[in-house]
Amino acid sequence: MRMHGGTGKLKLSNICTNSDVEIIPNGRFSSLHFKNNLSLTMTAKQADDDATMEAPPANDDADISFAEREDDDDREDAAAADVHVASSLDHSDLFSAVEESVISCRPLVDFFYHPNNDDDNSAAKLTTRQRRDVICSIVKSPKFNKTRARRLFSGLTPLLRKVVDEESYIPDQDDDGDVIVDANAASTLAVLYLRICAFLVDAYLDGLLKRQRKGTATSNNNNNKRVEVIDEVFEVAEMLHDLLFPLQNCGKEGMTTQSAIFSMCENYWHGNFEDKELFVTQLIPLLLVKSLEDTAQKNDVKRLCSIRDAIDLLDFECESITTLKNHLLRTVANPLFLQSTEGKKFITHLFQVDASLVVDLHKAIKVQLFEAKRSILNAYGEIYYNAWKQSAETTKEDEEEEQGGEIQTSIEENALQDMMYFQIHAANPKIVSSIRIVLDKFYVNKKSPDVESMLHRCYGPLLWRSLSATNARVRLQAAVVLSDTFPLRDPDAGQEWTEACVQKSVEALISLMSDEVAAVRVAGSNATAKILSEFWVAIPANDIRKLLNHIIAKHASDLTSSAVRATAIKTVTTLLEEDKTHAVLRSLLPSLGNLIHDKSEKVRLAVVEMLLFVKKIRGMKYYHIVDPQNLLSRLADEGRGRNNPTGPVAIGLSELLSNSFFPVGKNKTMSDIINRTLRLLTDNPGAAVTFYRNAGTQLGVNSISKLIAALMRCLCMLIVQDKKMNCEDISNLSIVMADDEIDSAKVPPNTALMATIAESIMILWGSIEADLKYEQNESAADILMEVFSGNVLTEVYSHFESKTVDGLEDVKLAECSRACVAILDCAGKMKEAEIEGLRAHVIGELAKATDMPPEKRTRMNFSPNMALLCEWGMTEDVAQCLSNSILNYFSLENLDGKSNLSKKRKLRGKKAAAKDELPQLDIETSLGILGNILKGSFPASLSARNSIIKSETACTAISTALQSARTAADTIIKSQQADESEVSITKIKHIGNAIECYGRLLIHKEAMRGEVPMRLSQEAKELLSWVTDNIIPSMMKSVAVEEENSLSKLDISAISGIGSPMTCDDPPRRKSNRRSARESDVSFLSSDQATSNTLPGASKHTSSGSAVSISSASSVLSTFAEWLSISGAESFLLIHISKWCQVLGATDNIKTRESLLGSLFHVALRSLKDDRDATVFKELLLHLKDVDPGTKEKEIIMESLSIITSLRDEQIATQALATIIYVTRSIIVQAGESDGAEFLDMVGPGMKEVLLSILNNKRSSLLLAKCLLNEPKVSSVRECLVKEMRANSPMSDALEAVVRDLSGEKVVTDGESEEETEVEEKPPIIPEQAEAAKISALLSQPEAGVVVA
């Protein structure tokens, strides 16, 4: 029954009642899902096709499936049919088809989709789409009046009602419940009939709407007047609308028909027809569900958004709305809605529907904030802002409407103020950040009176009291809100109220910047910077002076927090962005210049960024803030120590000084650049090297190429001057000097200056090496080739190389070695054919190495020579040369210590050199070269190392040769057991170095595979097993036999310093364990690395077996300590190293223990720090109980424990202290009762030193006391440690409180006398065995001993 003009609320009592929504346990709306598929409220009975429909003719096998028929036709152009064709069909044909379909759907279906092809009628030749459009155009035609419309739709109604009543559109299903697709089935004909009805209604509505609009335009009638629809059309449309839900389960044809009915209902709504409200009750839920599906597209959201006004008609107080309401709430978590403009409009409109819905929508959004992306948070912010704005506008437009005011109030109180409260009081910073992004739309528009008034209403009751809250985090977050909302005022309150609010805000800022918590002071500075930069004119000058005084005078010199100092500089930089602040800040900035040397990198970086900003300001000079000398000193310091020479501070300083040392402009010549460059290199070479390291970030490839060429000419000029002084030939360098640009650069020859120039050339070339490969930089490459090709590099290298054997002092020798390394590195960047004579010269120098006296050979550095040959494709030749030399030395016939090179072989070496073949080298030179290549002492060695490892032939050859050192060690150990043979300590050192090189090679080889995490290779496991099975037993046997050459009397002072020669450029460490940049000076190499290939050793003889064992064990320990920092602990590795600790308690010789103790502690600390595994640390402490440490050992123990206790991560330190308590307990249990013995004496001298190191440190003693809080109250170890703590520890207030807590837990019970209490206060120092066993079991786990205080 029609209800004309009805505007009441619609109830959905029969919609989606069986489609419940389930919320999964995490409570997030994005995880909502349906329990069941969308079901129908009505019962779908199985239709009897034979009784309801006429069966198709037996000989009619045509497929009338609309989806299949239109598959090809949809690709064709849907242009209007030809006029002649169109005129061949008229309304009489349509009426005939309808009237024939009184009891069967087939006539009308055939008329639409299956015309008679035998007919010569041209209409039969139309495609399905064209025929449908022609038929629909008949209904749209102005000639299709009401009479014809009544005849058409009254003819459709009887069969349509029959189809609906008998549910004959429902298809058959198989045993599995799947729809049976049969083109000729009665259900398919019924579905097509429904679709045709929808097309005809839709076409009639289109025609009616066009006529109505045309009439309205001519008569100027009211456009909002509803369009009248005849009852016959309404009845057909209403029946079709009621079929939307049933068609959901009718297969593909049903979904296509449903889509046609969708279009009809949408047309009915948008056309403003009478009773249009009745056609959205099923349309809204279905479009909503469709837009929430995983396969939904933006067009689905757009269709839903177009009918969003229909949601206003729903009654949200009715219980039947629950399911639909849950579906509406799901839209706020759907990315398709949040990423489309229409989706955000739809959600915004939901806030305007009902005041009660606002609360649910806000809850649904709030649970999404924690893990939402920034784009989603911005979408939420836009939704909240537009929803509030629309509600405010609605309230203004209609003051009499209470609903608009209710919605605005609900949005402000239930949504916005709730988020504002959490922005101030939330404990999770991520939630606070997310809420701030959502509310940012309001902060950006706070200058709007309406927004400003709303912020005052919502934040007023929250902000001011939060600024003085007890919780520091609340104060911090309130400071951020203050900066976002300043000035928090009522715009209608007047000027006096505004001034009072500003004054109140200034007082709050001063209070925040004076807070005792550093993080709050940082937030106060940030808030001050934002407020002053935005409202500089609005704040009184006296208040500005107060705020700047806190920032510049107090915060910039805050000794307690580097973050406060850095923020003070950043605040000033922010203020400098406003031109109005320059007059005030110009005189204050020089007081901040001393922070350029702050110990904190972030403070220095903040100063550099401020200077870079000042450089852009006209009228202000950065060198008035920090003078150039301090800038150069800072730039040089950034390249030293633990600083990063290519870090942000160094890059910023290089950018700041780039115009000073590489001026750019039409009036700047290369002579000016060279003069400034030489001045920089002479006055401050450290700053120059750091500057050139970062030149690639400031200058172009061509500019750097020209600078390299100019520097090379300068270097040649200095060499020529040096040669002239020595009356040497300079003809080979004359071609390079043919340039007038360097005539003005008159600098006396200086070896240090020349070495720095050569190194600068290497650095600059390395910064553009990758770019030179591109075609657009071909001109830059030509510039370099013009200067460096020919015999220039050979002559330059020969000049410096000749000085290394002339008996120069160590400093000059190091400078010459730096220059040689740099020149050969540059040569490696060129092709061999482009440099004349350098290859033969390099190989000749290697051939001369064997004939050199040992004192001269140790001064030479041949590693760059081999690295250059590897760059030129001789990797396998280099590997073969090194492997042959090593194999020859460790061969069985050479174990007697005689020279490994006979005169015959020396002659072969000379002949080989003459043929440009690599000669055989001595062992010192070979291991020195290999060691420097493996550790990456200079840039070219890194490339050489990679090329050796990538070459299977080269890597196998070197690996095989290094393993011969293990064979030699086994031979010496076995001969030691048979007799008292002696081997030179030099040979023992070579065995240790070779074994360590082998371990390093295994680590780099495994790192090159790129597998994460790295795993011990089979070769590495064999090396560990070899030490455990062969070396350690040999050392223990030496201890057991009391002979002259026993381990207890062995002096290994000459080899105890073997250590690790591979301290830099190891394989990439795990991100959490990467160390700071290693300490370095101007050169890449330290003086000892640059001038020597070998470790000096004594020539005396000593007991061979024991020394070899110690040397081998130390080498393997130093190798795998680095493995722990790279890949982490492996049980196989820790088990073996734990077994090696037993040697400490087996010898009384201090030198022996010193050689192993440092390496063992290094491994233990690595395992603790990187993997929190206390296995090695526990075993090390257990074996220290019988060790009486010497002075050096005490230093090792104290330094190792200080490293642990100084870590920022207290959990690691606590785990170490818990392990110490466990070891102490175990030793006491094993010792048993000992009358009169002091507690520290009972634990043994080694552990006594450990405990004293802990007790004498303020921080470690406090952590130890906190660990004891978790010990059993009846533990005698706990009571004894507390007493020792009172006697030996520096008592701070915190430690005194913990110790008092520990001592006060002993309470006298009723009936006990004071004498009994005193006796009980001194229990025996033997805790219960069960307690010790329990703690032992806990500590056997990798994370054992972790006690969180």
Side-chain angles (χ1 to χ4, degrees):
M1 182 176 181
R2 298 184 65 176
M3 298 182 296
H4 294 281
T7 58
K9 292 289 185 178
L10 301 180
K11 298 182 183 295
L12 302 183
S13 58
N14 62 338
I15 296 179
C16 296
T17 56
N18 296 328
S19 181
D20 297 330
V21 177
E22 178 186 14
I23 303 177
I24 65 174
N26 64 6
R28 293 185 56 204
F29 278 80
S30 60
S31 300
L32 291 175
H33 61 277
F34 294 105
K35 286 183 179 178
N36 306 307
N37 292 330
L38 189 65
S39 58
L40 308 177
T41 59
M42 60 189 70
T43 303
K45 66 177 182 177
Q46 183 67 34
D48 186 0
D49 295 336
D50 294 335
T52 307
M53 295 281 186
E54 285 186 358
N59 59 352
D60 189 0
D61 56 352
D63 183 2
I64 60 173
S65 171
F66 179 72
E68 295 180 7
R69 283 172 177 253
E70 288 189 339
D71 185 52
D72 296 330
D73 295 341
D74 287 344
R75 299 190 182 100
E76 300 178 3
D77 188 7
D82 185 81
V83 177
H84 174 72
V85 175
S87 62
S88 63
L89 286 175
D90 56 15
H91 60 275
S92 60
D93 298 324
L94 177 60
F95 290 156
S96 299
V98 171
E99 291 169 356
E100 292 176 3
S101 301
V102 176
I103 60 174
S104 173
C105 301
R106 178 166 293 280
L108 186 59
V109 171
D110 289 345
F111 179 72
F112 260 78
Y113 299 115
H114 190 59
N116 187 2
N117 292 328
D118 297 333
D119 191 358
D120 292 334
N121 191 345
S122 57
K125 300 178 182 179
L126 296 174
T127 63
T128 303
R129 172 69 63 85
Q130 291 173 338
R131 186 176 181 85
R132 186 191 69 188
D133 291 342
V134 170
I135 297 174
C136 290
S137 65
I138 297 174
V139 182
K140 293 179 184 179
S141 173
K143 299 179 180 180
F144 202 81
N145 52 30
K146 289 185 178 180
T147 304
R148 293 178 178 178
R150 286 192 176 95
R151 179 181 176 184
L152 172 63
F153 291 104
S154 60
L156 294 174
T157 302
L159 183 57
L160 178 60
R161 183 177 292 110
K162 181 180 180 183
V163 170
V164 172
D165 293 341
E166 297 180 359
E167 298 181 355
S168 55
Y169 53 85
I170 298 178
D172 294 333
Q173 297 180 350
D174 56 18
D175 296 336
D176 296 331
D178 297 330
V179 174
I180 299 176
V181 180
D182 185 359
N184 294 317
S187 59
T188 305
L189 294 174
V191 170
L192 292 176
Y193 184 81
L194 298 177
R195 191 185 311 168
I196 293 171
C197 293
F199 287 152
L200 294 175
V201 173
D202 198 18
Y204 176 76
L205 294 177
D206 283 341
L208 187 61
L209 189 60
K210 289 179 180 179
R211 294 193 294 270
Q212 179 68 20
R213 289 174 179 172
K214 186 176 180 181
T216 303
T218 56
S219 61
N220 295 324
N221 291 333
N222 186 8
N223 291 333
N224 294 326
K225 183 179 180 181
R226 294 287 183 92
V227 180
E228 182 181 359
V229 181
I230 59 176
D231 293 341
E232 290 79 4
V233 174
F234 175 83
E235 185 177 3
V236 172
E238 187 177 32
M239 284 189 288
L240 292 174
H241 168 264
D242 294 340
L243 291 175
L244 282 175
F245 271 106
L247 288 172
Q248 189 78 14
N249 296 326
C250 292
K252 186 176 181 180
E253 294 289 355
M255 297 301 294
T256 306
T257 300
Q258 186 189 61
S259 178
I261 301 177
F262 277 162
S263 299
M264 181 204 73
C265 294
E266 290 176 272
N267 198 4
Y268 213 107
W269 172 264
H270 295 303
N272 198 28
F273 294 103
E274 288 183 348
D275 300 319
K276 66 177 184 178
E277 297 83 3
L278 300 179
F279 294 90
V280 295
T281 55
Q282 292 194 21
L283 179 64
I284 292 174
L286 283 173
L287 285 180
L288 179 60
V289 171
K290 186 177 179 61
S291 62
L292 291 173
E293 291 177 349
D294 294 336
T295 58
Q297 299 178 355
K298 287 187 177 181
N299 189 51
D300 298 321
V301 177
K302 188 175 182 179
R303 293 175 68 181
L304 179 63
C305 180
S306 65
I307 62 168
R308 61 185 181 276
D309 293 335
I311 300 178
D312 299 343
L313 303 174
L314 303 179
D315 186 2
F316 282 87
E317 296 180 359
C318 179
E319 295 181 357
S320 63
I321 201 68
T322 302
T323 301
L324 179 63
K325 188 177 180 180
N326 290 336
H327 285 71
L328 292 174
L329 296 178
R330 288 181 58 193
T331 60
V332 302
N334 191 295
L336 195 60
F337 279 81
L338 298 174
Q339 294 172 1
S340 61
T341 304
E342 292 78 10
K344 288 182 284 188
K345 285 183 180 179
F346 180 79
I347 298 175
T348 300
H349 183 78
L350 293 181
F351 277 91
Q352 314 298 321
V353 173
D354 190 80
S356 63
L357 188 60
V358 172
V359 180
D360 296 329
L361 288 170
H362 174 63
K363 289 180 180 179
I365 292 175
K366 193 163 64 172
V367 296
Q368 303 293 325
L369 296 181
F370 183 73
E371 296 182 356
K373 297 179 181 179
R374 188 177 185 89
S375 59
I376 301 299
L377 295 175
N378 289 329
Y380 286 141
E382 184 178 348
I383 289 170
Y384 275 112
Y385 180 76
N386 292 333
W388 173 83
K389 189 176 181 181
Q390 290 180 15
S391 65
E393 291 175 353
T394 302
T395 305
K396 283 184 177 182
E397 290 175 358
D398 193 353
E399 295 291 343
E400 298 179 358
E401 285 280 347
E402 296 183 359
Q403 184 68 11
E406 290 179 3
I407 291 178
Q408 181 183 2
T409 303
S410 180
I411 292 175
E412 290 182 2
E413 296 180 356
N414 298 322
L416 298 180
Q417 196 171 46
D418 181 59
M419 284 194 295
M420 294 172 181
Y421 176 85
F422 277 102
Q423 186 183 358
I424 297 175
H425 295 88
N428 192 324
K430 190 172 182 180
I431 287 290
V432 176
S433 177
S434 299
I435 294 177
R436 189 185 181 196
I437 295 174
V438 173
L439 295 177
D440 185 65
K441 189 79 172 177
F442 293 93
Y443 301 149
V444 171
N445 295 278
K446 66 181 178 181
K447 293 184 180 181
S448 170
D450 293 337
V451 177
E452 191 174 19
S453 178
M454 183 275 296
L455 291 174
H456 178 262
R457 288 195 303 271
C458 295
Y459 268 125
L462 302 174
L463 180 59
W464 300 115
R465 60 183 180 184
S466 300
L467 289 169
S468 58
T470 304
N471 191 297
R473 177 160 291 280
V474 173
R475 300 197 301 274
L476 185 152
Q477 291 164 179
V480 178
V481 172
L482 177 62
S483 66
D484 290 333
T485 60
F486 181 89
L488 190 62
R489 67 186 181 100
D490 186 355
D492 301 327
Q495 183 63 27
E496 294 182 359
W497 174 258
T498 299
E499 293 176 357
C501 289
V502 171
Q503 185 61 35
K504 190 175 183 180
S505 299
V506 171
E507 293 174 357
L509 290 173
I510 295 176
S511 176
L512 289 169
M513 290 191 292
S514 304
D515 199 279
E516 59 182 7
V517 180
V520 179
R521 298 200 298 275
V522 169
S525 290
N526 289 330
T528 302
K530 185 174 182 179
I531 291 173
L532 286 179
S533 63
E534 191 173 356
F535 298 95
W536 181 272
V537 179
I539 299 176
N542 188 40
D543 292 335
I544 293 177
R545 191 179 301 109
K546 291 179 181 178
L547 295 173
L548 291 179
N549 179 64
H550 266 83
I551 294 172
I552 297 177
K554 296 182 179 180
H555 280 197
S557 59
D558 193 322
L559 300 178
T560 61
S561 174
S562 61
V564 175
R565 299 195 300 274
T567 305
I569 305 299
K570 293 178 181 178
T571 298
V572 174
T573 306
T574 302
L575 294 177
L576 286 171
E577 295 176 0
E578 293 295 326
D579 296 339
K580 303 179 183 67
T581 65
H582 295 173
V584 177
L585 294 176
R586 182 178 286 105
S587 60
L588 301 176
L589 291 178
S591 62
L592 303 175
N594 61 328
L595 292 176
I596 191 68
H597 298 296
D598 195 279
K599 64 180 181 180
S600 173
E601 183 181 16
K602 60 184 175 183
V603 178
R604 301 196 302 270
L605 179 60
V607 175
V608 171
E609 291 175 346
M610 180 187 71
L611 295 177
L612 288 171
F613 190 84
V614 170
K615 186 178 179 180
K616 303 175 184 177
I617 299 176
R618 180 175 297 181
M620 298 182 71
K621 305 299 181 182
Y622 68 89
Y623 46 79
H624 291 163
I625 303 172
V626 182
D627 61 87
Q629 190 60 38
N630 277 295
L631 290 174
L632 289 175
S633 299
R634 181 70 258 157
L635 184 60
D637 289 341
E638 288 299 320
R640 301 192 186 104
R642 300 177 67 87
N643 297 323
N644 186 0
T646 57
V649 178
I651 292 176
L653 287 172
S654 300
E655 181 182 355
L656 190 68
L657 300 172
S658 61
N659 291 338
S660 300
F661 299 110
F662 196 90
V664 179
K666 296 181 179 179
N667 298 327
K668 303 299 181 181
T669 63
M670 187 57 65
S671 297
D672 297 330
I673 296 175
I674 291 175
N675 287 329
R676 295 194 184 191
T677 300
L678 290 177
R679 183 177 177 181
L680 175 63
L681 290 168
T682 304
D683 296 343
N684 201 325
V689 171
T690 307
F691 176 79
Y692 292 134
R693 284 182 186 273
N694 302 285
T697 62
Q698 314 299 328
L699 307 175
V701 177
N702 285 330
S703 298
I704 294 178
S705 298
K706 293 177 181 178
L707 180 59
I708 293 174
L711 288 174
M712 188 62 186
R713 292 189 177 100
C714 289
L715 179 61
C716 292
M717 177 196 68
L718 295 174
I719 293 175
V720 167
Q721 294 181 14
D722 195 13
K723 283 180 174 288
K724 285 182 178 180
M725 294 175 61
N726 299 325
C727 300
E728 298 178 11
D729 181 26
I730 62 171
S731 59
N732 291 327
L733 294 176
S734 60
I735 186 174
V736 181
M737 294 299 298
D739 197 334
D740 297 334
E741 293 179 343
I742 62 174
D743 290 341
S744 60
K746 300 298 183 181
V747 180
N750 184 323
T751 304
L753 175 61
M754 289 189 290
T756 305
I757 292 176
E759 197 170 33
S760 300
I761 292 173
M762 178 185 67
I763 293 171
L764 288 169
W765 200 334
S767 66
I768 62 172
E769 182 180 8
D771 297 325
L772 291 174
K773 299 178 182 179
Y774 297 109
E775 185 177 355
Q776 61 266 29
N777 296 322
E778 186 176 352
S779 59
D782 293 338
I783 294 174
L784 297 178
M785 292 304 104
E786 181 182 355
V787 177
F788 286 88
S789 58
N791 62 350
V792 176
L793 285 179
T794 304
E795 291 296 326
V796 173
Y797 173 75
S798 300
H799 176 73
F800 291 108
E801 184 267 336
S802 62
K803 291 186 176 184
T804 59
V805 293
D806 291 342
L808 296 176
E809 58 187 31
D810 292 341
V811 176
K812 291 186 177 181
L813 182 65
E815 301 298 342
C816 290
S817 180
R818 284 173 51 203
C820 290
V821 170
I823 295 302
L824 292 181
D825 185 273
C826 293
K829 296 177 172 61
M830 302 173 63
K831 297 179 181 179
E832 179 187 348
E834 296 172 342
I835 305 176
E836 298 176 2
L838 185 58
R839 178 175 179 270
H841 183 82
V842 166
I843 295 178
E845 292 301 320
L846 291 173
K848 295 177 184 179
T850 305
D851 298 333
M852 288 182 183
E855 62 274 9
K856 286 188 176 181
R857 188 169 59 239
T858 57
R859 297 165 65 88
M860 300 294 292
N861 182 16
F862 297 107
S863 303
N865 302 44
M866 288 297 195
L868 175 62
L869 297 178
C870 290
E871 287 286 342
W872 283 348
M874 298 179 62
T875 301
E876 295 184 1
D877 297 327
V878 169
Q880 194 64 39
C881 171
L882 296 177
S883 61
N884 289 339
S885 303
I886 297 172
L887 282 171
N888 179 73
Y889 180 80
F890 290 119
S891 60
L892 296 178
E893 59 268 18
N894 290 325
L895 291 178
D896 56 357
K898 297 181 180 180
S899 175
N900 62 321
L901 287 177
S902 63
K903 294 183 179 180
K904 184 176 180 180
R905 286 180 177 174
K906 292 180 181 179
L907 292 175
R908 288 181 181 176
K910 294 181 180 179
K911 293 180 180 180
K915 297 179 181 179
D916 283 354
E917 295 180 359
L918 295 181
Q920 185 169 319
L921 306 175
D922 63 281
I923 187 63
E924 293 181 355
T925 304
S926 300
L927 289 179
I929 291 172
L930 185 58
N932 280 322
I933 288 177
L934 286 176
K935 69 182 176 181
S937 303
F938 46 91
S941 65
L942 297 175
S943 177
R945 184 179 68 192
N946 293 337
S947 62
I948 289 175
I949 295 176
K950 290 179 180 178
S951 173
E952 184 176 355
T953 303
C955 187
T956 303
I958 293 179
S959 178
T960 303
L962 292 175
Q963 288 188 73
S964 64
R966 287 172 47 185
T967 305
D970 288 334
T971 302
I972 295 174
I973 292 173
K974 291 179 180 178
S975 63
Q976 161 77 9
Q977 298 172 359
D979 52 33
E980 297 183 3
S981 61
E982 295 182 343
V983 180
S984 68
I985 198 168
T986 303
K987 181 177 285 294
I988 294 173
K989 288 177 59 178
H990 293 330
I991 291 175
N993 279 338
I995 291 174
E996 183 169 355
C997 285
Y998 176 62
R1000 300 284 175 180
L1001 181 63
L1002 295 179
I1003 293 178
H1004 287 293
K1005 185 179 178 181
E1006 192 65 26
M1008 285 288 288
R1009 296 180 180 177
E1011 297 180 359
V1012 179
M1014 290 171 54
R1015 296 297 181 188
L1016 286 172
S1017 62
Q1018 184 61 35
E1019 295 88 346
K1021 292 181 179 180
E1022 291 175 358
L1023 182 61
L1024 288 170
S1025 301
W1026 173 71
V1027 175
T1028 303
D1029 299 338
N1030 293 13
I1031 301 301
I1032 299 301
S1034 172
M1035 298 172 70
M1036 299 302 295
K1037 288 180 181 180
S1038 299
V1039 174
V1041 180
E1042 295 183 0
E1043 299 176 347
E1044 288 295 328
N1045 62 344
S1046 67
L1047 190 61
S1048 62
K1049 298 182 180 181
L1050 175 63
D1051 182 10
I1052 58 169
S1053 58
I1055 65 172
S1056 60
I1058 288 178
S1060 170
M1062 325 293 186
T1063 56
C1064 64
D1065 293 316
D1066 289 314
R1069 288 174 171 79
R1070 293 172 290 171
K1071 186 175 182 180
S1072 59
N1073 303 325
R1074 290 174 185 166
R1075 300 173 178 174
S1076 302
R1078 66 184 179 90
E1079 184 174 357
S1080 61
D1081 52 8
V1082 176
S1083 172
F1084 288 104
L1085 308 176
S1086 57
S1087 59
D1088 59 330
Q1089 292 171 332
T1091 59
S1092 176
N1093 295 287
T1094 61
L1095 291 169
S1099 59
K1100 63 181 180 178
H1101 290 72
T1102 185
S1103 302
S1104 56
S1106 302
V1108 168
S1109 299
I1110 295 174
S1111 177
S1112 302
S1114 298
S1115 298
V1116 175
L1117 269 175
S1118 62
T1119 300
F1120 286 99
E1122 292 302 317
W1123 173 274
L1124 290 174
S1125 66
I1126 298 169
S1127 180
E1130 286 192 35
S1131 58
F1132 186 88
L1133 174 63
L1134 297 181
I1135 289 173
H1136 279 273
I1137 295 180
S1138 299
K1139 294 179 180 179
W1140 303 351
C1141 296
Q1142 58 185 314
V1143 179
L1144 295 176
T1147 178
D1148 295 331
N1149 187 269
I1150 295 178
K1151 295 295 183 180
T1152 303
R1153 293 198 302 264
E1154 287 179 359
S1155 64
L1156 296 179
L1157 187 60
S1159 297
L1160 287 172
F1161 259 115
H1162 182 47
V1163 173
L1165 295 184
R1166 273 293 173 192
S1167 181
L1168 261 174
K1169 181 180 177 181
D1170 299 338
D1171 299 285
R1172 303 193 178 187
D1173 192 315
T1175 304
V1176 177
F1177 188 61
K1178 180 183 66 175
E1179 293 296 327
L1180 180 58
L1181 295 178
L1182 285 172
H1183 288 92
L1184 279 178
K1185 64 179 180 179
D1186 298 326
V1187 174
D1188 188 6
T1191 303
K1192 181 64 175 178
E1193 292 173 297
K1194 290 181 180 180
E1195 292 178 0
I1196 294 175
I1197 293 173
M1198 292 179 62
E1199 182 179 357
S1200 301
L1201 293 176
S1202 65
I1203 292 174
I1204 294 177
T1205 56
S1206 63
L1207 294 174
R1208 291 185 178 181
D1209 192 344
E1210 287 193 1
Q1211 287 190 355
I1212 299 176
T1214 304
Q1215 181 181 5
L1217 293 173
T1219 305
I1220 293 174
I1221 295 173
Y1222 160 76
V1223 172
T1224 303
R1225 186 192 308 279
S1226 301
I1227 295 174
I1228 294 297
V1229 170
Q1230 293 177 5
E1233 297 186 10
S1234 181
D1235 297 335
E1238 295 292 335
F1239 173 75
L1240 292 180
D1241 294 333
M1242 294 183 64
V1243 298
M1247 277 301 297
K1248 179 180 179 179
E1249 193 64 34
V1250 171
L1251 290 175
L1252 286 176
S1253 299
I1254 297 297
L1255 293 172
N1256 292 334
N1257 183 273
K1258 181 179 179 181
R1259 183 172 184 264
S1260 60
S1261 58
L1262 177 59
L1263 292 176
L1264 179 63
K1266 292 179 179 180
C1267 288
L1268 291 176
L1269 288 173
N1270 297 280
E1271 287 289 300
K1273 296 181 181 180
V1274 295
S1275 171
S1276 56
V1277 172
R1278 166 176 160 160
E1279 295 183 8
C1280 292
L1281 285 175
V1282 170
K1283 292 180 181 179
E1284 296 296 338
M1285 205 175 295
R1286 288 186 178 278
N1288 298 287
S1289 300
M1291 300 300 293
S1292 62
D1293 294 339
L1295 180 60
E1296 183 67 35
V1298 179
V1299 171
R1300 193 183 306 113
D1301 192 13
L1302 289 168
S1303 303
E1305 292 176 351
K1306 186 66 178 178
V1307 182
V1308 179
T1309 58
D1310 295 339
E1312 290 182 330
S1313 63
E1314 293 184 0
E1315 292 79 4
E1316 293 173 341
T1317 304
E1318 291 178 359
V1319 172
E1320 291 179 357
E1321 287 179 353
K1322 297 180 180 180
I1325 312 178
I1326 302 178
E1328 293 76 10
Q1329 296 289 344
E1331 180 185 348
K1334 179 179 179 181
I1335 297 177
S1336 175
L1338 289 173
L1339 285 171
S1340 63
Q1341 303 296 328
E1343 295 291 335
V1346 177
V1347 181
V1348 181

